[in-house]
Amino acid sequence: MVSTLRIALIGFALLVFAGLPVAAQTSSSTSPTESSPAAAGNQGTAAESPANNLDTTVQRLKQDVQRMGEVAREKTQQMMDGETVFMVTTSQLAAIAAGAVLGAVVFDLLGGGGLATMTGAVVGGFAGHWIYTQPAPPVAGNG
C-alpha cells in the first residue's frame, strides 16, 4: 500500500514538474518589453542572435541524438549477441505492471486521454521499478 502511494505521488510530482517549463515559457513569451518602441528599433540585431543560437542548438541536438542512436545500437547488438544479459524477476515485473496500471489510471483521472494515458503507464512503470529497486532503509538496532 505504501509503495502504491509512493508511485502515485511520484507520478503527480512528475506531472507538475513537466508542466512548469511550459508555464514559464508562456509567461515569458508575453512580456511587455516586446511591444515597446525601443524593442522595435533593436529588432534587426535581436533577430540575428536567436537564429544563431537556434542553429547551434539544433546542431548540438543532432549530435546528441546521433550519439544516443549509436549507443542504443551498440547495446542492442551486445544483447543480441549474448554478451549482455538482462534479467527481470517476477516481483520486479509485478512492480512494473502495478506502476504502469496506476500511472495510466492517475493520468486518465487527471484528464489525459490516449497518448497521455500511455505516457502515464510508462512513467508509472518506471516509477514502480525504481521504487522496487531502492535499497531498504536501515533499521535502528536495539543494542
Side-chain angles (χ1 to χ4, degrees):
M1 180 65 182
V2 174
S3 295
T4 306
L5 184 59
R6 285 182 190 167
I7 291 170
L9 290 174
I10 289 173
F12 180 72
L14 288 174
L15 179 69
V16 169
F17 286 124
L20 289 176
V22 174
Q25 185 178 15
T26 56
S27 67
S28 68
S29 66
T30 58
S31 65
T33 58
E34 291 178 359
S35 61
S36 68
N42 294 334
Q43 234 176 9
T45 59
E48 294 170 6
S49 178
N52 290 338
N53 290 339
L54 182 62
D55 288 338
T56 56
T57 302
V58 168
Q59 292 299 324
R60 204 170 52 236
L61 285 174
K62 281 183 183 179
Q63 292 171 354
D64 290 343
V65 167
Q66 286 174 349
R67 274 188 252 134
M68 285 174 34
E70 291 170 4
V71 169
R73 274 189 232 101
E74 194 175 291
K75 294 296 181 183
T76 304
Q77 189 63 40
Q78 287 176 356
M79 287 181 72
M80 289 174 57
D81 291 342
E83 296 174 15
T84 304
V85 178
F86 183 74
M87 292 178 40
V88 178
T89 64
T90 306
S91 53
Q92 285 175 333
L93 190 59
I96 292 169
V101 168
L102 185 64
V105 168
V106 167
F107 273 53
D108 195 43
L109 290 176
L110 291 174
L115 205 54
T117 303
M118 291 175 65
T119 303
V122 170
V123 169
F126 179 77
H129 183 264
W130 179 77
I131 289 171
Y132 180 81
T133 55
Q134 291 303 305
V139 178
N142 293 336

